[in-house]
Amino acid sequence: MKNKIKILAFRTDRIGDLINTSPFLKSLKNYYNNSEIHLVSSSYNSGVALRYNFIDKVHIYNKKQNLFKQFIFYLKLIFNNYDLCIALDGKRISKIISILTRAKKKYIISFKKKRNFLGISFNLYRPSLIVCKLFYDSYLICDEDYDNKAANSEFNNHYLTMYYSLLKKNNIKLIPEKHYYNINKSCLNSYKSFFDNNVNNDFLNIHIDYKWDNYNLNIDDFAQMLSKISSNNKITITSGFEGSLFFNNLRKYYSLFHFANDNTFKQIHKKSSNILLIENVSLDMIACFIKNCMVSISAHSGAIVHISAAFNTPIIDFIKKSKANEYDRWIPPDTSYKRAFVE
């Protein structure tokens, strides 16, 4: 029996970034069917990573640990005999470990940004092109100038496509997969009970987070719009642990539920039966709503957009027009995706 191909990949940032990378990681596992994929995750996104069956081992990087524990963490990875090392996230830990590891093949993405010092413009690469040429078998440059739509033509200015292009450059042609999110089973029964008792119909889900607080939305106009929509369909409005001032301003209009740590819903007050506010909702419970709703609406909350793609739920993004080019890079492929521009 052949030895397994050991692959090390990095995604030490946010949950949405990891879910957006899930098609690539799954494709990688399918291509190397006799492989063992290790992922270095952040403590923030590790809960999602641990439920991916195409990842064999998750190494959770906690940047708040003391220097000695971080040093041991680095050493364990550096002296592991990997066949492939793929640094995708541009983070310092990814660059250090991927430079020092003894992997047979090493691939990285170098992120390019324009800088200005004393009136002199120059390009800054992370990592530098010299480092890329000295320590890696192959690399791609990702231009982070969002206003330059002609940038990154090699991968259509699209992050997920970029991951595939990095390996395609080395004659590793992966078959694209769809986004993937695995809901914790403990949430499913709680969701069903809430749905049966309070929704029990087709519904739209709006997820409101801190980004909505930066929009110049008139709360009364927004409530009127919801009232018109709810004449035909029910609406659930979710908010996570971080909360939102905009969400709080909606409390006076609609029925409010609080989601507790024991996966139960407590009704705080009752008003409209067609529009339901649900606060303090865990990501897994939000995923239950997204999976079952007709349309998922958010202010380009990364995790929400990519979870919607995982369940083929149509997406409506409320974004500022100035952010359009930047968010173009994150649009999930083969998904019904539309935008509403706000100020």
Side-chain angles (χ1 to χ4, degrees), residues 127-189:
S128 71
L129 297 185
I130 293 175
V131 168
C132 289
K133 291 173 182 177
L134 284 177
F135 295 99
Y136 297 91
D137 295 275
S138 187
Y139 64 92
L140 272 182
I141 296 172
C142 179
D143 191 334
E144 295 289 88
D145 180 2
Y146 301 127
D147 294 326
N148 182 9
K149 295 201 76 171
N152 307 320
S153 59
E154 188 174 354
F155 46 86
N156 299 321
N157 224 2
H158 187 256
Y159 286 134
L160 179 56
T161 306
M162 176 176 68
Y163 309 147
Y164 284 99
S165 295
L166 178 62
L167 268 65
K168 186 178 179 181
K169 191 175 181 181
N170 296 276
N171 295 317
I172 303 172
K173 298 177 182 179
L174 306 181
I175 298 174
E177 289 281 344
K178 67 187 295 290
H179 284 58
Y180 187 78
Y181 185 86
N182 188 10
I183 298 175
N184 190 322
K185 292 180 180 179
S186 64
C187 288
L188 296 176
N189 288 335

Side-chain angles (χ1 to χ4, degrees), residues 46-58:
S46 60
V48 175
L50 287 165
R51 295 203 299 268
Y52 281 156
N53 59 12
F54 44 87
I55 295 175
D56 298 284
K57 188 166 185 178
V58 177

Side-chain angles (χ1 to χ4, degrees), residues 22 27 38 83 98 119 143 173 197 225 237 248 267:
S22 63
S27 296
H38 291 207
D83 295 285
S98 61
D143 191 334
K173 298 177 182 179
N197 293 325
M225 180 188 73
I237 303 176
N248 291 343
Q267 186 162 29

Side-chain angles (χ1 to χ4, degrees), residues 8-22 24-25 38-46 49 52 55 58-61 86-91 93-94 109 111 159-160 162-163 330:
L8 178 65
F10 297 83
R11 197 78 262 184
T12 60
D13 37 21
R14 297 167 296 185
I15 293 173
D17 299 294
L18 173 60
I19 301 171
N20 189 49
T21 310
S22 63
F24 171 79
L25 295 171
H38 291 207
L39 179 74
V40 181
S41 76
S42 65
S43 53
Y44 186 56
N45 66 24
S46 60
Y52 281 156
I55 295 175
V58 177
H59 302 274
I60 303 171
Y61 174 62
I86 307 170
L88 301 172
D89 57 15
K91 302 298 183 182
I93 179 177
S94 310
I109 294 167
F111 294 89
Y159 286 134
L160 179 56
M162 176 176 68
Y163 309 147
W330 295 98

Side-chain angles (χ1 to χ4, degrees), residues 140-333:
L140 272 182
I141 296 172
C142 179
D143 191 334
E144 295 289 88
D145 180 2
Y146 301 127
D147 294 326
N148 182 9
K149 295 201 76 171
N152 307 320
S153 59
E154 188 174 354
F155 46 86
N156 299 321
N157 224 2
H158 187 256
Y159 286 134
L160 179 56
T161 306
M162 176 176 68
Y163 309 147
Y164 284 99
S165 295
L166 178 62
L167 268 65
K168 186 178 179 181
K169 191 175 181 181
N170 296 276
N171 295 317
I172 303 172
K173 298 177 182 179
L174 306 181
I175 298 174
E177 289 281 344
K178 67 187 295 290
H179 284 58
Y180 187 78
Y181 185 86
N182 188 10
I183 298 175
N184 190 322
K185 292 180 180 179
S186 64
C187 288
L188 296 176
N189 288 335
S190 297
Y191 167 79
K192 187 177 184 308
S193 176
F194 179 85
F195 177 86
D196 291 342
N197 293 325
N198 300 283
V199 184
N200 201 26
N201 207 335
D202 291 338
F203 70 99
L204 289 74
N205 190 75
I206 304 173
H207 182 72
I208 293 181
D209 61 8
Y210 69 93
K211 288 185 179 179
W212 292 79
D213 299 340
N214 299 321
Y215 294 161
N216 186 25
L217 291 173
N218 181 285
I219 194 73
D220 293 321
D221 291 344
F222 189 77
Q224 285 182 16
M225 180 188 73
L226 293 183
S227 179
K228 291 178 181 178
I229 296 172
S230 66
S231 63
N232 295 317
N233 301 106
K234 287 202 171 186
I235 300 173
T236 56
I237 303 176
T238 55
S239 182
F241 300 141
E242 75 284 354
S244 161
L245 293 175
F246 189 78
F247 181 90
N248 291 343
N249 289 333
L250 292 172
R251 288 168 175 258
K252 62 183 179 182
Y253 294 97
Y254 310 118
S255 296
L256 175 65
F257 293 83
H258 180 87
F259 182 70
N261 291 334
D262 59 355
N263 282 345
T264 59
F265 294 86
K266 179 183 178 182
Q267 186 162 29
I268 307 300
H269 59 72
K270 185 174 182 179
K271 291 189 178 182
S272 166
S273 60
N274 276 2
I275 303 175
L276 309 175
L277 296 176
I278 310 129
E279 66 179 4
N280 198 51
V281 189
S282 69
L283 188 63
D284 276 320
M285 185 56 70
I286 293 171
C288 289
F289 282 92
I290 291 172
K291 181 180 180 181
N292 293 283
C293 71
M294 296 186 301
V295 179
S296 173
I297 302 169
S298 73
H300 197 83
S301 174
I304 304 305
V305 168
H306 298 300
I307 289 173
S308 302
F311 296 121
N312 296 316
T313 301
I315 300 163
I316 297 178
D317 235 355
F318 275 62
I319 69 168
K320 291 184 177 181
K321 201 166 186 177
S322 60
K323 288 284 189 179
N325 290 346
E326 177 182 351
Y327 292 162
D328 281 347
R329 301 183 177 207
W330 295 98
I331 297 175

